[in-house]
């Protein structure tokens, strides 16, 4: 029922910018926090950023000052603005929705992943 659709991944030069988007649907009455993770070949999937429904945010140390997470007014779309991109930012980026407050529904306390979008930063 829950679907996450990502977009915005591309190939860019070092120092460039990209904005990733993730649209969430099928969540009914649930509230959710949204996370961005990334994974490079041969490495573990790592946390990038999180935004909660109250607007609170946090970032991995490696992206602080360069990335910014936000959502639209309806809070069904989350963005990750990525500036001053570095080759080490190259990875598949995934969004994850953490559901809560579902009024007893089956989605309570569930996590849902997007399909991932490729970001490639060349030197």
């Amino acid at each position: 029922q829950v679907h996450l659709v990502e977009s915005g991944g591309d190939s860019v030069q070092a120092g460039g910018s990209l904005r990733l988007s993730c649209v969430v649907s099928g969540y009914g009455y649930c509230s959710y926090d949204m996370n961005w993770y990334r994974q490079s070949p041969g490495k573990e999937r790592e946390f990038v950023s999180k935004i909660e429904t109250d607007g609170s945010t946090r970032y991995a140390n490696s992206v602080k000052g360069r990335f910014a997470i936000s959502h639209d007014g309806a809070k069904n779309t989350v963005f990750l603005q990525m500036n001053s991109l570095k080759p080490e930012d190259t990875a598949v980026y995934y969004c994850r929705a953490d559901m809560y407050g579902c009024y007893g529904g089956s989605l309570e306390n569930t996590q849902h992943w997007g399909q991932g979008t490729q970001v490639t930063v060349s030197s």
Side-chain angles (χ1 to χ4, degrees), residues 58-119:
R58 70 182 183 95
Y59 300 90
N61 289 334
S62 59
V63 305
K64 285 182 179 178
R66 299 189 299 118
F67 291 9
I69 190 170
S70 63
H71 52 66
D72 65 5
K75 300 182 179 179
N76 68 325
T77 304
V78 66
F79 304 99
L80 185 68
Q81 179 66 46
M82 305 185 295
N83 299 321
S84 301
L85 284 163
K86 304 174 181 179
E88 50 263 45
D89 295 318
T90 295
V92 177
Y93 284 71
Y94 299 89
C95 57
R96 190 190 80 192
D98 299 343
M99 302 291 171
Y100 66 95
C102 302
Y103 296 94
S106 61
L107 296 178
E108 183 72 32
N109 297 321
T110 59
Q111 297 179 338
H112 305 268
W113 291 92
Q115 80 285 359
T117 184
Q118 177 70 51
V119 172

